[in-house]
Structure formats: C-alpha cells, structure tokens
Amino acid sequence: MAREPIPTWCFALVVARKGERFLVVHERKHGQGWYLPAGRVEPGESFFEAARRETLEETAVPVRLTGVLRVEHTPSLEGARLRVVFLAEPEDDTPPKQVPDEESLEARWVTLEELERLPLRGPGVVRLFRSVAAGAPVFPLALLGREGDV
C-alpha cells in the first residue's frame, strides 16, 4: 500500500559572526522583531544557496559559510519542518542594510549585550548566539550533501 508523501518545509538559518559581533535582521514580518538571517529553501535550491541568498537579501552582507551548527527536524501530523543552522563570516566589509525593503527593515552587527536590548522574535536567538560565543561545536559543511555524493 502506497503511503502519502509527507509535506516538508526546509529552512536555512545563518549565525554570521565578526569577532564579538553577530549579524541580526529587523524583520518586516513576524511582528517586526529582530532575528538571525533565515528563510525557506526554494525549489531546486540547496541549503547552502538558500543560506547565502537569504543573508544577502535580508542584510546586504555577503557571507562565507564556515560550518553547520545544528540540523533540526520537527515532525507534526500536518508535515515536518527541517532547519539547518549555519555558522558564517562576512566575505568583505559591506555594511549591513540601512534602507527598508520587502525583505527586511534593516540589519546590524551587535554584541550579545546589545542583542539583549532589542525586541527579539524569540529567546532562541540569544541562546544560540551565546552558545556560539562559548565555543559550541561546529560541524564541517560536508555534513550536508546531495544523495549519492561521496
């Protein structure tokens, strides 16, 4: 008996770090809170491509992905959510977005202390950034690959 496919939504999240500062986005959606660069993986796009694209669209900062922090899978009766959280660094000195557009209102490099004073989308941002600052394990990008690749 054939089973129905499980709808799955895939998201790429990026913890971009420059020294003691982290890149955050003032979101246009989700209550206009501050969050890390993140978004849905588009059809035909890899998690890597989505991570770089979403960060550039939301912050104007081009990043180089340096590792994988977490892979999260959240199943439910309606489907599943799969999130990959990347660690990244800026490719150059491009300043963060200051002019609002359809993607976000602005972006900033902030310290952990500055982050805690912003109205955040949720408490997970502070916990995630603190764990990175404390030396959380970082897995190689090769952890993710296409089926059949060796």
Side-chain angles (χ1 to χ4, degrees):
M1 180 162 126
R3 292 185 292 165
E4 289 294 316
I6 301 168
T8 303
W9 294 269
C10 298
F11 297 90
L13 294 79
V14 178
V15 176
R17 187 175 185 188
K18 181 169 74 171
E20 297 303 312
R21 296 185 171 276
F22 294 89
L23 187 60
V24 292
V25 176
H26 191 184
E27 295 188 311
R28 179 170 288 289
K29 302 174 188 174
H30 308 291
Q32 296 187 349
W34 289 83
Y35 199 58
L36 63 158
R40 187 174 298 175
V41 178
E42 300 295 334
E45 186 177 49
S46 72
F47 277 97
F48 306 110
E49 292 163 339
R52 290 188 298 266
R53 176 186 53 76
E54 287 289 346
T55 303
L56 189 61
E57 287 175 355
E58 294 179 354
T59 71
V61 175
V63 294
R64 175 177 24 267
L65 303 177
T66 59
V68 175
L69 293 166
R70 297 178 51 85
V71 176
E72 302 171 338
H73 179 249
T74 308
S76 72
L77 294 176
E78 296 79 34
R81 186 165 79 161
L82 182 62
R83 301 186 340 161
V84 177
V85 184
F86 292 95
L87 184 62
E89 59 189 20
E91 286 187 352
D92 56 32
D93 291 328
T94 301
K97 177 190 291 187
Q98 297 301 305
V99 178
D101 63 18
E102 65 281 352
E103 296 292 334
S104 61
L105 300 173
E106 67 175 300
R108 292 183 195 165
W109 288 104
V110 297
T111 63
L112 289 172
E113 293 74 30
E114 292 166 336
L115 177 70
E116 291 177 352
R117 290 193 295 269
L118 294 174
L120 301 173
R121 178 171 163 183
V125 178
V126 173
R127 287 193 305 264
L128 182 58
F129 288 5
R130 279 195 183 284
S131 85
V132 169
V138 179
F139 301 93
L141 293 171
L143 178 71
L144 292 176
R146 294 191 181 272
E147 281 185 52
D149 286 354
V150 178

